[in-house]
Amino acid sequence: MEKVQLLIIDEHEAVRNALATRLSSNPNIEVVATIQNFNQQNLNDSGSADVALYGLKSSSDADLDATISVVEDLTCQGTAVIILTSYADDIERELLLKSGAYRYLLKNINSNKLIAEILEVAAETTEPLG
């Protein structure tokens, strides 16, 4: 099995570093980049990723619109997106899943469960259409 190439996007450096440390301890995951925010230049600089973890910062309408745009951009590049949020919002969840995100998870998820979700999403994106 090839390693899942993982991109971590979160505004807090400590969160990015903690996620990178925890997740790269799994032999099936390679963290290819950690970035504060997403733009096309970040994607070009970091190379392609199979899966992106995207940490939400707030739930204002402007932030939600920007997040939907990021999810759509990453999805168009072939990167599956897992949203990590501090609290659940059913409307936000529905909009982000409709925009192409594969998962909408709470940030308090334990490491083993998060690793399982990353690997599952990676497998879902590489399954042949039948």
Side-chain angles (χ1 to χ4, degrees), residues 110-130:
N110 72 52
S111 295
N112 291 335
K113 177 69 174 157
L114 182 55
I115 288 167
E117 293 286 351
I118 291 166
L119 297 175
E120 189 174 302
V121 165
E124 286 174 19
T125 62
T126 58
E127 289 177 356
L129 298 175

Side-chain angles (χ1 to χ4, degrees), residues 16-41:
R16 293 190 310 269
N17 291 339
L19 283 168
T21 299
R22 286 182 357 198
L23 300 173
S24 62
S25 69
N26 185 286
N28 297 315
I29 296 174
E30 179 182 356
V31 176
V32 294
T34 64
I35 56 177
Q36 182 174 4
N37 53 43
F38 176 83
N39 61 44
Q40 198 60 43
Q41 186 60 44

Side-chain angles (χ1 to χ4, degrees), residues 67-86:
T67 302
I68 287 170
S69 179
V70 168
V71 170
E72 290 171 345
D73 287 350
L74 285 167
T75 301
C76 285
Q77 295 291 326
T79 300
V81 180
I82 296 174
I83 300 294
L84 293 177
T85 185
S86 297

Side-chain angles (χ1 to χ4, degrees), residues 47-117:
S48 64
D50 301 313
V51 177
L53 289 181
Y54 190 95
L56 296 187
K57 48 187 166 188
S58 73
S59 62
S60 74
D61 288 343
D63 287 337
L64 181 56
D65 289 343
T67 302
I68 287 170
S69 179
V70 168
V71 170
E72 290 171 345
D73 287 350
L74 285 167
T75 301
C76 285
Q77 295 291 326
T79 300
V81 180
I82 296 174
I83 300 294
L84 293 177
T85 185
S86 297
Y87 57 91
D89 177 316
D90 290 337
I91 294 171
E92 178 182 77
R93 178 184 186 278
E94 182 178 337
L95 290 171
L96 289 168
L97 292 174
K98 282 184 178 180
S99 70
Y102 277 72
R103 300 285 192 281
Y104 180 90
L105 306 171
L106 292 177
K107 285 186 177 181
N108 66 355
I109 189 171
N110 72 52
S111 295
N112 291 335
K113 177 69 174 157
L114 182 55
I115 288 167
E117 293 286 351

